[in-house]
Amino acid sequence: MEYFMLLATDAEDVHEARMAARPAHLERLEALKAEGRLLTAGPNPLPDNPERVSGSLIVAQFESLDAAQEWAETDPYVDAGVYAEVLIKPFKAVFK
């Protein structure tokens, strides 16, 4: 298993949708954490308003790029229309 970086960019005006989908999104991250596969995850706060975010970063282990893509596509934020785009790349954890 290798690490992959999932960098998601929010669509415009999705704060309410993000908040509604957040519990289910966090539940999936907790599952990755419980499996020992989550390196880090968190939102990207806006520089001028840290209470609002522009997207999210997740670094976790997956069997393949395809598996990471499949996991990302089923995220509650995707289903809720929060994410406009998700960039997925292999990630090498140099420091943990």
Side-chain angles (χ1 to χ4, degrees):
M1 229 182 289
E2 64 181 299
Y3 284 106
F4 290 88
M5 172 198 82
L6 292 73
L7 180 62
T9 303
D10 283 9
E12 293 292 322
D13 299 318
V14 294
H15 180 73
E16 289 77 21
R18 176 182 264 277
M19 292 299 100
R22 188 170 187 262
H25 170 77
L26 293 177
E27 186 176 314
R28 294 181 82 224
L29 292 175
E30 287 292 341
L32 285 178
K33 182 179 175 183
E35 294 168 6
R37 296 172 44 202
L38 183 64
L39 182 63
T40 192
N44 304 114
L46 292 172
D48 59 343
N49 184 356
E51 298 301 315
R52 298 291 175 113
V53 300
S54 63
S56 303
L57 172 70
I58 299 166
V59 180
Q61 290 179 321
F62 295 95
E63 291 293 332
S64 65
L65 180 60
D66 288 340
Q69 181 70 41
E70 182 179 317
W71 188 90
E73 288 172 356
T74 59
D75 190 280
Y77 283 168
V78 171
D79 293 342
V82 172
Y83 291 156
E85 176 185 32
V86 179
L87 173 66
I88 302 173
K89 291 185 175 186
F91 182 84
K92 183 176 181 180
V94 176
F95 298 102
K96 292 196 234 180

